[in-house]
Amino acid sequence: MCASVKYSARGPALIPRMKTKHRMYYIALFSVVLLGLIATGMFQFWPHSIESSTDWSVDRHSVHDAPLVHLSASDPIPERGDLSCRMHTCFDVYRCGYNPKNRIKVYIHPLRRYVDDLGAPISSTGLSREYNELLSAISDSDFYTDDINRACLLIPSIDVLNQNSLRIRETAQALAQLPRWERGMTHLLFNMLPGGPPDYNTALDVPRDRALLAGGGFSTWTYRQGYDVSIPVYSPLSAEVDLPEKQPGPRKYFILSSQIALHMEYRTELETLKAENGEAMLILDKCTNLSEGVSSVRKRCCKGQVFDYPQILQESTFCVVLRGVRLGQAALSDVLQAGCVPVILADSYILPFSEVLDWKSKSLTAPHGRYSRFMNVFLEFYALPAWPGIFLLLFLHIEQIPTLMSCKSAFACAACGAVEPVQTGSMRVNPRQGGCGYWQTVFPPEVTVRCPARWFWEAYFRSMKNIVMTTLQIINDRIYPYAARSYEEYFLDDLTGNIIAQGRQNALRAWNLKGNGQVFISMGNGSNVTKAKWASVNSPLFLPLIPPRAPGFTAVVLTYDRIESLFRVITEISKVPSLSKLLVVWNNQNKDPPEESQWPKITVPLKVVRTTENKLSNRFFPYDEIETEAVLAIDDDIIMLTSDELQFGYEVWREFPDRLVGYPGRLHLWDHEMGKWKYESEWTNEVSMVLTGAAFYHKYFNYLYTYKMPGDIKNWVDAHMNCEDIAMNFLVANVTGKAPIKGREWDRLKNKNEMRAADVAADLNMLTLHEVLVTPRKKFKCPECTAIDGLSLDQTHMVERSECINKFATVFGTMPLKVVEHRADPVLYKDDFPEKLKSFPNIGSL
């Protein structure tokens, strides 16, 4: 039977109409979804900023249109600055949180006009041009946010750059009324001219509670290390005067003083030195005989002769920067802009951005008490025929001259007479050629070297934008230290023009390298330009908190001829999930490694490296085959470690990438009777070393061990065939200042003799399949241990290892090893849970 259908004049009435409604509904729904996807895609991929495009600018928000805020005499006043504040005690770092870009967000409070009960403003100048430029630079940067809830750092729109223009009490009251002030825990104030008569304090006198201060005249008494930021005093001439970089060539004066309004004592001493040294010095002062309408700011005079300022600074090699009523002086910025080497004479002055800038290689400093002595010694170098070469060595700290390595600054080297006059060979040196010119003089003519002081100014002093961006970057690096700028190896041409193949002894921060770690050297007449980018392994000191899991680790197995044991080690290590590559260092020159077909079949690449000489240091060589950050150094007889134990060790290293993470621990102790250090393998709660027979570390330390190990330690280790593990512990502790991380503990044996003999065997890397197999997880017997004269061997062994510690401590000049009571165990290790719930079930118990 067929179902009946009702018809009307237009045909079937009900069903087609329902289908049309459904069709229109689905079309509309599909259209909405499609438009939503398109809109989402455009928002996601179209170039834009998720921040508001509203800029902070006085042009848009006039000072006169800003809301008026009346202050009452009874309004609260913040406490004075807390000198004990540090980032971990006074700054609310939790507001910063985590973000993928590792960048702080900065909020600028809206502009307000603050007046007292009588209608008088809190500042005589209102908002200065410099502070407006500073706030505008922040609003145009990636740091800026217009959402106070997302902000990590808050900037008041109250201008406190110049304390002379402020009413101290009322300004403090205005700060206390800011939204989210909260004792200033997340606020940053900028001040360049602190203090006032008669004392002229070196920090802002406005009570500011716990607020961070970026100040332009800090002394060691007022600067809170690691909390405040020392900034330069901005020189308005930077924007007004276009001072092109002076090309290398002769400079008329050796040393010059251009500051006005100096203390009479300083002026008298300078004039005395001028009389003794004649044309070598030029002492300038304020002009008093200028024509009407001529600005005195741009002029300097000496005995009626008028000089253009700051252009005259480019005619001198060295420029004196003395303190005035304040420590910070705008003259320092002018000197750097001119490419003149600053000679800074100011007691306890915290130099601008000294937290990150290497001032010792760009300036000379001396205290007030030695002012006259310093200038006399300094000027004695001018009489030497090869003084440009001497000062080049002083500034660069060339490592080929041992006497310079202990000098703390260029001045210290000069004052203590550590350097004898040097000969410049066939190069002819003009004794008046200096500044950037003397750098060029000592180098061969085909090599062009740029003046280092000039680019300091270009990068960090040039404008208010440069100053504020540098300040925020420093604070950003404190909050996200694992994302901070890294150290880079800095290479330089030697005095003959040949490129040095090895890096300098001291790596300089990327802050101090122009071009972010790239050195540009122009060869010849400019037709052939060589670009050298000195890229090496990243220092683990600045790795992210947890390195990525994906690369895994490279196992480096040092072996000689224990084939069966080696193959067992390879088989066991290959089971570790994070193993990326296995490198076998074949240390036997008299015997070939096994044929390829005899090696175990594993799922990761296996490479055999044959050495040319049997040396223990071969295990720490930076082989090109090591591509991962993590390295597992393991002996060819450590077959007792399970894959879980090795994987757990790697996971621990990922959280501590700058440490040695190992299994057997050792300790160094001071022997009061003998008056020297001794090596100890007794079982205690303390540890200061881990044996590298099974240890994880960062491959960066391979480079340090091979190329930067101090003194003759590396050769001493190879000659004695002992203590390479102690040397590596010394090196890592000296670089990082941290102790190693110890994994699972060695298990106790039945008696002390067995334990001592086992420890000796482990230290000597003399375990075989028939001897004791040191294990961090299982109890074992050692019937052979007592048969090898364990006690006598132990005594000899301890003497040798103790000799190593004393030898290394002498070479390092200190004892870098750190003692800790710490051991890493996996979660749920000793808990009574099913094994399948544990991430590392196959780890032995104590």
Side-chain angles (χ1 to χ4, degrees):
M1 294 180 62
C2 297
S4 62
V5 178
K6 294 183 178 181
Y7 284 82
S8 66
R10 293 175 295 179
L14 182 59
I15 296 178
R17 187 173 302 174
M18 291 294 293
K19 290 183 178 179
T20 301
K21 288 183 178 180
H22 291 170
R23 186 182 301 112
M24 295 300 296
Y25 171 77
Y26 286 123
I27 290 175
L29 179 61
F30 176 76
S31 300
V32 170
V33 172
L34 181 62
L35 289 175
L37 292 174
I38 294 174
T40 302
M42 293 180 64
F43 179 81
Q44 185 73 21
F45 301 106
W46 192 269
H48 69 287
S49 172
I50 62 174
E51 301 294 347
S52 170
S53 60
T54 303
D55 294 333
W56 200 103
S57 175
V58 172
D59 295 335
R60 296 190 182 185
H61 307 284
S62 172
V63 175
H64 301 288
D65 298 333
L68 198 64
V69 178
H70 290 273
L71 301 174
S72 171
S74 60
D75 287 340
I77 299 176
E79 297 180 1
R80 294 192 63 84
D82 187 353
L83 289 178
S84 65
C85 273
R86 297 297 182 266
M87 291 297 289
H88 62 281
T89 59
C90 292
F91 187 80
D92 187 6
V93 71
Y94 296 104
R95 287 183 58 91
C96 303
Y98 170 78
N99 62 80
K101 294 184 178 180
N102 296 315
R103 183 183 297 123
I104 61 174
K105 286 299 178 181
V106 182
Y107 174 81
I108 302 175
H109 286 286
L111 187 63
R112 298 286 187 269
R113 289 186 297 144
Y114 294 91
V115 296
D116 62 11
D117 291 332
L118 301 178
I122 64 173
S123 172
S124 60
T125 59
L127 194 71
S128 65
R129 181 186 66 180
E130 288 78 13
Y131 199 62
N132 178 48
E133 292 176 358
L134 183 149
L135 296 179
S136 298
I138 296 176
S139 70
D140 293 336
S141 71
D142 293 335
F143 293 108
Y144 179 68
T145 179
D146 61 357
D147 184 358
I148 193 172
N149 295 314
R150 297 184 59 208
C152 169
L153 198 62
L154 309 179
I155 308 292
S157 56
I158 303 171
D159 184 358
V160 295
L161 284 178
N162 185 354
Q163 184 177 314
N164 289 340
S165 64
L166 301 177
R167 298 169 63 188
I168 303 299
R169 177 184 175 85
E170 288 75 11
T171 302
Q173 290 176 322
L175 290 175
Q177 291 196 10
L178 292 173
R180 305 282 181 90
W181 173 250
E182 298 171 359
R183 299 188 65 189
M185 289 187 68
T186 55
H187 282 73
L188 171 64
L189 306 179
F190 286 88
N191 169 255
M192 290 185 175
L193 299 178
D199 296 329
Y200 286 98
N201 292 331
T202 57
L204 182 66
D205 287 328
V206 175
R208 57 188 184 278
D209 226 323
R210 295 183 173 184
L212 285 84
L213 181 60
F218 281 119
S219 71
T220 54
W221 296 98
T222 57
Y223 179 65
R224 295 173 292 184
Q225 181 73 31
Y227 194 67
D228 294 326
V229 180
S230 180
I231 63 176
V233 178
Y234 176 68
S235 174
L237 294 179
S238 299
E240 298 175 4
V241 179
D242 183 16
L243 202 61
E245 184 173 358
K246 188 176 179 64
Q247 295 301 314
R251 294 204 173 190
K252 187 174 181 180
Y253 304 102
F254 179 73
I255 189 167
L256 179 149
S257 172
S258 61
Q259 292 172 266
I260 59 178
L262 288 177
H263 192 279
M264 185 58 64
E265 177 184 350
Y266 296 148
R267 178 72 60 183
T268 301
E269 292 182 354
L270 286 173
E271 293 294 347
T272 302
L273 291 170
K274 164 68 176 175
E276 296 174 354
N277 294 276
E279 297 182 358
M281 288 191 68
L282 178 63
I283 311 299
L284 302 177
D285 201 354
K286 184 178 181 179
C287 295
T288 57
N289 57 348
L290 294 177
S291 303
E292 186 175 351
V294 178
S295 174
S296 61
V297 177
R298 300 279 302 276
K299 301 294 180 181
R300 296 289 188 272
C301 291
C302 178
K303 297 180 179 179
Q305 186 177 0
V306 181
F307 299 88
D308 292 329
Y309 182 86
Q311 290 84 348
I312 184 59
L313 298 176
Q314 291 189 310
E315 298 301 322
S316 180
T317 301
F318 298 93
C319 295
V320 177
V321 179
L322 288 161
R323 72 159 296 167
V325 292
R326 294 182 174 92
L327 279 176
Q329 296 291 311
L332 177 60
S333 179
D334 296 336
V335 168
L336 293 175
Q337 182 184 10
C340 187
V341 180
V343 179
I344 303 170
L345 305 172
D347 274 345
S348 69
Y349 178 38
I350 303 297
L351 289 168
F353 305 130
S354 57
E355 183 175 337
V356 294
L357 299 187
D358 181 22
W359 282 101
K360 293 177 181 178
S361 64
K362 306 296 187 296
S363 65
L364 300 176
T365 59
H368 284 151
R370 295 188 175 183
Y371 170 69
S372 298
R373 168 62 179 161
F374 167 77
M375 295 302 295
N376 286 322
V377 173
F378 186 72
L379 286 166
E380 288 178 5
F381 280 95
Y382 180 71
L384 299 176
W387 71 263
I390 294 174
F391 278 105
L392 174 66
L393 298 179
L394 292 175
F395 275 95
L396 294 185
H397 303 280
I398 296 297
E399 61 183 355
Q400 283 84 351
I401 303 180
T403 54
L404 281 178
M405 295 309 297
S406 61
C407 293
K408 300 301 182 184
S409 67
F411 162 69
C413 296
C416 68
V419 183
E420 297 294 331
V422 299
Q423 300 298 324
T424 56
S426 59
M427 291 180 288
R428 301 182 63 184
V429 178
N430 184 342
R432 291 188 179 181
Q433 188 171 356
C436 291
Y438 86 75
W439 294 78
Q440 181 61 48
T441 302
V442 185
F443 277 87
E446 67 272 12
V447 179
T448 300
V449 182
R450 299 200 64 186
C451 181
R454 167 80 181 194
W455 92 259
F456 253 34
W457 174 82
E458 292 174 348
Y460 308 117
F461 288 66
R462 188 185 192 101
S463 64
M464 292 300 296
K465 179 179 180 180
N466 292 71
I467 294 173
V468 68
M469 288 298 103
T470 304
T471 302
L472 293 181
Q473 186 61 52
I474 290 174
I475 296 175
N476 192 94
D477 288 354
R478 293 175 183 171
I479 297 174
Y480 301 108
Y482 50 89
R485 295 191 182 188
S486 62
Y487 276 78
E488 297 287 342
E489 287 292 333
Y490 185 50
F491 294 76
L492 199 64
D493 280 45
D494 63 8
L495 297 183
T496 63
N498 298 320
I499 296 178
I500 299 175
Q502 70 244 15
R504 287 182 55 195
Q505 179 70 21
N506 296 322
L508 300 180
R509 287 184 185 271
W511 291 89
N512 300 284
L513 300 180
K514 183 163 185 173
N516 194 22
Q518 297 185 16
V519 180
F520 294 89
I521 305 175
S522 298
M523 308 299 292
N525 57 7
S527 59
N528 183 19
V529 179
T530 301
K531 174 184 175 183
K533 181 177 180 180
W534 308 112
S536 62
V537 190
N538 292 329
S539 167
L541 306 180
F542 295 95
L543 284 174
L545 282 182
I546 299 181
R549 183 191 302 267
F553 66 90
T554 300
V556 178
V557 186
L558 183 68
T559 187
Y560 190 78
D561 61 0
R562 293 183 287 202
I563 306 301
E564 183 179 356
S565 175
L566 170 65
F567 286 175
R568 290 183 62 182
V569 170
I570 292 175
T571 302
E572 190 62 36
I573 295 177
S574 66
K575 300 175 184 177
V576 182
S578 295
L579 178 66
S580 176
K581 182 183 293 187
L582 206 152
L583 186 66
V584 176
V585 179
W586 190 263
N587 225 20
N588 190 341
Q589 291 75 42
N590 301 319
K591 181 179 180 180
D592 293 334
E595 297 292 334
E596 182 178 353
S597 60
Q598 300 178 19
W599 290 83
K601 306 302 180 184
I602 59 177
T603 58
V604 298
L606 189 152
K607 179 69 178 292
V608 179
V609 176
R610 301 190 63 176
T611 61
T612 58
E613 190 175 353
N614 183 19
K615 298 188 298 184
L616 286 179
S617 296
N618 289 335
R619 77 184 314 156
F620 297 133
F621 186 82
Y623 298 102
D624 293 337
E625 289 78 8
I626 302 177
E627 298 175 346
T628 61
E629 302 287 341
V631 178
L632 168 64
I634 189 167
D635 289 337
D636 60 0
D637 53 7
I638 306 298
I639 62 175
M640 73 298 301
L641 289 176
T642 66
S643 59
D644 276 355
E645 289 166 339
L646 291 172
Q647 180 65 27
F648 174 67
Y650 172 65
E651 296 294 343
V652 173
W653 177 87
R654 292 181 66 245
E655 298 186 29
F656 303 94
D658 57 344
R659 311 275 194 107
L660 272 174
V661 178
Y663 298 90
R666 296 293 182 265
L667 182 66
H668 74 288
L669 298 172
W670 179 255
D671 190 332
H672 292 279
E673 294 182 0
M674 301 297 295
K676 59 183 182 180
W677 298 102
K678 71 175 183 177
Y679 178 84
E680 184 56 69
S681 63
E682 285 282 0
W683 285 57
T684 67
N685 292 326
E686 297 177 327
V687 62
S688 61
M689 294 173 282
V690 293
L691 301 183
T692 56
F696 289 91
Y697 61 91
H698 193 279
K699 68 174 180 178
Y700 175 72
F701 295 116
N702 279 345
Y703 286 79
L704 294 184
Y705 187 98
T706 303
Y707 299 116
K708 295 300 177 183
M709 181 65 77
D712 62 341
I713 291 180
K714 185 168 171 286
N715 293 333
W716 194 91
V717 167
D718 293 334
H720 290 74
M721 290 297 288
N722 198 353
C723 301
E724 85 286 359
D725 50 352
I726 298 179
M728 177 60 86
N729 277 271
F730 264 75
L731 180 66
V732 176
N734 188 63
V735 171
T736 65
K738 300 177 181 179
I741 300 293
K742 186 184 181 308
R744 299 297 312 120
E745 179 63 273
W746 296 84
D747 228 341
R748 295 192 180 275
L749 303 182
K750 286 190 172 182
N751 58 68
K752 182 177 179 180
N753 288 351
E754 291 181 359
M755 182 182 69
R756 299 284 284 176
D759 284 343
V760 172
D763 286 330
L764 291 175
N765 295 322
M766 56 182 292
L767 301 178
T768 68
L769 291 176
H770 301 291
E771 293 172 343
V772 91
L773 300 180
V774 181
T775 172
R777 64 184 188 91
K778 296 178 180 177
K779 295 183 178 181
F780 55 85
K781 296 182 179 181
C782 185
E784 293 88 354
C785 291
T786 55
I788 57 173
D789 294 330
L791 294 180
S792 60
L793 176 60
D794 175 40
Q795 294 174 357
T796 304
H797 170 68
M798 293 300 168
V799 170
E800 292 177 354
R801 304 281 280 183
S802 298
E803 182 183 352
C804 292
I805 292 180
N806 287 280
K807 164 71 176 179
F808 299 164
T810 301
V811 174
F812 274 88
T814 185
M815 172 49 72
L817 298 179
K818 308 294 182 182
V819 178
V820 293
E821 296 183 6
H822 176 81
R823 190 186 74 198
D825 286 335
V827 177
L828 302 181
Y829 162 59
K830 298 189 70 175
D831 293 329
D832 188 15
F833 277 84
E835 294 297 319
K836 62 182 180 180
L837 297 181
K838 299 182 179 181
S839 298
F840 306 99
N842 194 14
I843 291 184
S845 61
L846 289 176

